[in-house]
Amino acid sequence: MSYINAKAVLPKEIIEEIQKYVNGVNLYIPKVSKVKNTCSSYKLELQRRNQEIYKLFLQGEKVSELAIKYYLSDKSIYRILSEMKKK
């Protein structure tokens, strides 16, 4: 990991504000991660899929048919159905 002098990249006002909290120490500022957005969109996609599976099950589709349709095991379908019943 390389270090950059804050004076080279930050305005004086921001440096002075940071110095109120930590003065003269090395400070790590993490990168903003795009993974969080990806994770939340992935979770939303799974939630929609699971709702669809539950809806189809309530309409009479069999667990084995749902497993084939969604490329999941019967056990996974039962788990999803159980979770959706709780909501």
Side-chain angles (χ1 to χ4, degrees):
M1 180 183 337
S2 63
Y3 295 95
I4 299 173
N5 190 324
K7 290 180 183 178
V9 293
L10 298 174
K12 183 179 178 184
E13 299 81 24
I14 292 178
I15 294 172
E16 290 172 354
E17 189 64 29
I18 292 171
Q19 286 172 330
K20 291 178 186 177
Y21 300 92
V22 289
N23 191 14
V25 299
N26 291 329
L27 179 66
Y28 171 74
I29 300 174
K31 223 186 211 188
V32 176
S33 176
K34 293 182 181 181
V35 173
K36 289 183 181 179
N37 292 335
T38 304
C39 282
S40 58
S41 66
Y42 180 68
K43 284 182 181 181
L44 184 60
E45 185 180 327
L46 285 179
Q47 184 179 13
R48 287 182 184 151
R49 181 204 67 184
N50 293 349
Q51 288 171 343
E52 187 176 317
I53 289 171
Y54 188 61
K55 180 182 170 189
L56 291 171
F57 177 76
L58 291 177
Q59 292 173 352
E61 198 152 336
K62 295 180 180 178
V63 170
S64 57
E65 294 169 348
L66 291 167
I68 292 168
K69 183 175 182 176
Y70 289 96
Y71 302 99
L72 296 169
S73 67
D74 288 3
K75 185 177 178 179
S76 293
I77 297 294
Y78 282 118
R79 181 186 45 79
I80 291 167
L81 295 174
S82 175
E83 289 172 3
M84 296 305 293
K85 284 180 188 178
K86 293 176 185 176
K87 291 184 180 185

